[in-house]
Amino acid sequence: MSYKALINKVFTRKYQFALQPNSVEFLEEVLSEHEIAPDQVQDALEAIAKECQKQGDCTTIVTRDILVRVYELMREAGEDGPSVNPLDADLLDPENHLFIIDAFDMPSWYYSADRKAFERTPWKSAVGGTAQSRTQLMRSRHDLIKQFVLRNENFSPPISGRDRASYLKITSTKNLLGRIGERFLLFGMLSHDSAGKLCLEDTEGKVMLDITDTAPSEGFFTEGCFVLVEGDYTANESFAVIAIGHPPSERRAVARSIFGHIDMLGNGATTVLEDASYQERLELEYSRLSFLVMSDLWLDHRRTLEGLSKVFEGCVENDFIPLIFILCGNFTSGSLDLTSGDGLAKYQDNLDSLADLIAGFPAISRNSHFVFVPGPLDPWGSSTLPRRPLPSSFTSRIRSRVPKSHFPSNPARIKFFGLEVVIFREDLMAKMLRNLIGVKPDLQGSDLKRFLVQTIVDQCNLSPLPFPVSPILWDFDHALRLYPMPSAVILADSYERYDLTYEGCHVFNPGNFVGNEFGFSIYFPATGRSEASSIDTENVE
């Protein structure tokens, strides 16, 4: 039996390894020696490929020596019997597997198109950035997205001639020259040239786009988005676009199976097997465990604390104590006058009142974690992402009265067992709609929500907007990255509440807490889904 096609499929197409001829021969010998069943061959090859990734000297080329070493390691592990699974312990304590991650503490990784692997940024991240930072930022976004687009089955080079008809080949802008009248598929970033004309840029150049007769595909399209465009190269050296679309996203399980050994968050990487085992335990033992999420908690509004008190009372009365309360700003209903001591003093008093309210419910304050994520209007907020945490000078009373309080950046992340939850407080819907290049006509409200979610997940970034609209600290763009795809994203927005799941990623907006109803959302890690909830406003003075 010939295993060569499957070996190429797994190592070359999926894991993007280059195999030497004697490496392929060795793999064929191993598979034949162990008489592996045909339906288990691919699983066996993937297990070997994953072990190869863990070898320090393994780059894009897998030599026979590396394969021999991996094979011996796997044989020894098999002879010693299955390793002890830490999940077999009688007690699984959620507190030991909960991490609140600040954007400024995340390690900086970038995807190297040359080595086809993630590498650590060679310089130390700085708020001011470096001369190389901005160039590296856009190239990193480009290379990151393109690597999984090329791994997608529709864009992977076919093994046999019979698959060539369905193969979509991406052409660079440089290769358009001298090929007027031909049709191509391009990948690059939408931008405008100095004359204000829409262009597509890639790493080799740019071409002007003509979208006069083009109806954009699903999703939002703004300057700064990476897109796939199909069209014809015309005599005036422009590209007449027939179709435009976001790159196909890669599900979390697929990305984790390839890059699971990379510690993206900085708190220790877990294997895909461990994640799956943890999830099983969560579903069996902690089905009611929850995160309660609120946004725009205006502490200067007269009804906010009363409404929040009713929420706490309901939790205690129903014996439903969330593991985490995620409280997102803005914690003020209007901009603060930073030149006035009265405004800052009032802000301080409101946070102190919140601390006293939480401490008044011991069952909650002693057992629940409180995560405070700042909004654009909170001090010392700015339009630059990521935003710094709430200043410690305002939070001393909360820290003293609420033992499990956390004050991360915006955005922030929660690592809980094998789950990754991203928290982002930004009025993103309004920003995207104000900066559209084109959008489908006759949109309904549900389409807007779906298009927003699809855009940020496909773009693998929380803010796929031009820098003048959404400034970014260049050295910290990795903190906005959504790759591997997170388990859930909390898009805390002043827009109306919603929740939906796209490509396995659950995205929800808890909405504004103060309004016609005191609304919030509850996220259940065991199911990976959220529920909208509220309290009866008639019972609030």
Side-chain angles (χ1 to χ4, degrees), residues 34 38 47 82 112 129 193 221 288 325 343 345 373 474 478:
H34 290 272
S112 170
D193 62 15
F221 297 89
R288 293 192 68 214
F325 283 86
V373 178
W474 300 334
H478 62 278

Side-chain angles (χ1 to χ4, degrees), residues 92 275-288 419 524-528:
L92 189 64
D275 290 350
S277 300
Y278 282 138
Q279 191 61 33
E280 290 178 7
R281 292 287 297 273
L282 275 175
E283 294 172 4
L284 290 172
E285 301 173 27
Y286 293 102
S287 59
R288 293 192 68 214
L419 301 175
F524 296 93
T527 61

Side-chain angles (χ1 to χ4, degrees), residues 230-295:
E230 183 181 11
D232 300 321
Y233 189 55
T234 64
N236 61 356
E237 297 184 344
S238 66
F239 195 74
V241 179
I242 298 171
I244 183 172
H246 288 287
S249 56
E250 185 172 75
R251 284 179 171 262
R252 177 175 176 81
V254 176
R256 292 273 294 123
S257 69
I258 301 171
F259 301 115
H261 60 294
I262 303 293
D263 183 11
M264 297 286 190
L265 302 182
N267 65 324
T270 56
T271 66
V272 176
L273 180 60
E274 286 175 331
D275 290 350
S277 300
Y278 282 138
Q279 191 61 33
E280 290 178 7
R281 292 287 297 273
L282 275 175
E283 294 172 4
L284 290 172
E285 301 173 27
Y286 293 102
S287 59
R288 293 192 68 214
L289 188 146
S290 64
F291 302 170
L292 192 148
V293 188
M294 299 177 180
S295 182

Side-chain angles (χ1 to χ4, degrees), residues 121-349:
T121 304
W123 61 83
K124 185 178 180 180
S125 298
V127 172
T130 65
Q132 189 179 356
S133 298
R134 178 165 179 169
T135 303
Q136 179 64 40
L137 183 161
M138 300 314 300
R139 180 176 291 275
S140 180
R141 286 193 189 184
H142 172 277
D143 293 345
L144 173 73
I145 296 175
K146 190 172 183 180
Q147 59 93 16
F148 65 74
V149 169
L150 294 178
R151 192 161 50 246
N152 184 280
E153 59 183 6
N154 295 314
F155 299 90
S156 300
I159 295 176
S160 59
R162 66 176 180 274
D163 298 326
R164 192 166 296 278
S166 60
Y167 165 51
L168 300 175
K169 182 181 179 181
I170 296 176
T171 302
S172 70
T173 54
K174 181 180 179 180
N175 289 332
L176 296 178
L177 299 177
R179 303 173 72 178
I180 293 172
E182 296 185 39
R183 181 160 296 179
F184 301 97
L185 178 67
L186 308 179
F187 171 76
M189 183 186 74
L190 294 174
S191 65
H192 287 93
D193 62 15
S194 57
K197 295 180 180 179
L198 182 64
C199 298
L200 184 84
E201 290 188 55
D202 60 17
T203 55
E204 297 186 4
K206 64 182 178 181
V207 63
M208 188 178 73
L209 298 181
D210 178 6
I211 60 170
T212 305
D213 300 319
T214 308
S217 180
E218 293 193 345
F220 292 150
F221 297 89
T222 67
E223 185 178 355
C225 282
F226 287 89
V227 296
L228 289 159
V229 294
E230 183 181 11
D232 300 321
Y233 189 55
T234 64
N236 61 356
E237 297 184 344
S238 66
F239 195 74
V241 179
I242 298 171
I244 183 172
H246 288 287
S249 56
E250 185 172 75
R251 284 179 171 262
R252 177 175 176 81
V254 176
R256 292 273 294 123
S257 69
I258 301 171
F259 301 115
H261 60 294
I262 303 293
D263 183 11
M264 297 286 190
L265 302 182
N267 65 324
T270 56
T271 66
V272 176
L273 180 60
E274 286 175 331
D275 290 350
S277 300
Y278 282 138
Q279 191 61 33
E280 290 178 7
R281 292 287 297 273
L282 275 175
E283 294 172 4
L284 290 172
E285 301 173 27
Y286 293 102
S287 59
R288 293 192 68 214
L289 188 146
S290 64
F291 302 170
L292 192 148
V293 188
M294 299 177 180
S295 182
D296 274 332
L297 201 68
W298 297 339
L299 300 178
D300 58 345
H301 192 286
R302 64 181 183 83
R303 303 181 71 198
T304 297
L305 291 183
E306 287 90 341
L308 192 56
S309 178
K310 289 292 183 183
V311 173
F312 292 159
E313 289 174 7
C315 291
V316 174
E317 290 173 2
N318 294 287
D319 192 25
F320 182 79
I321 309 298
L323 176 67
I324 307 176
F325 283 86
I326 300 172
L327 308 182
C328 300
N330 301 306
F331 297 107
T332 175
S333 58
S335 299
L336 289 174
D337 183 2
L338 301 181
T339 63
S340 168
D342 292 341
L344 295 177
K346 183 62 176 175
Y347 187 86
Q348 175 76 75
D349 291 342

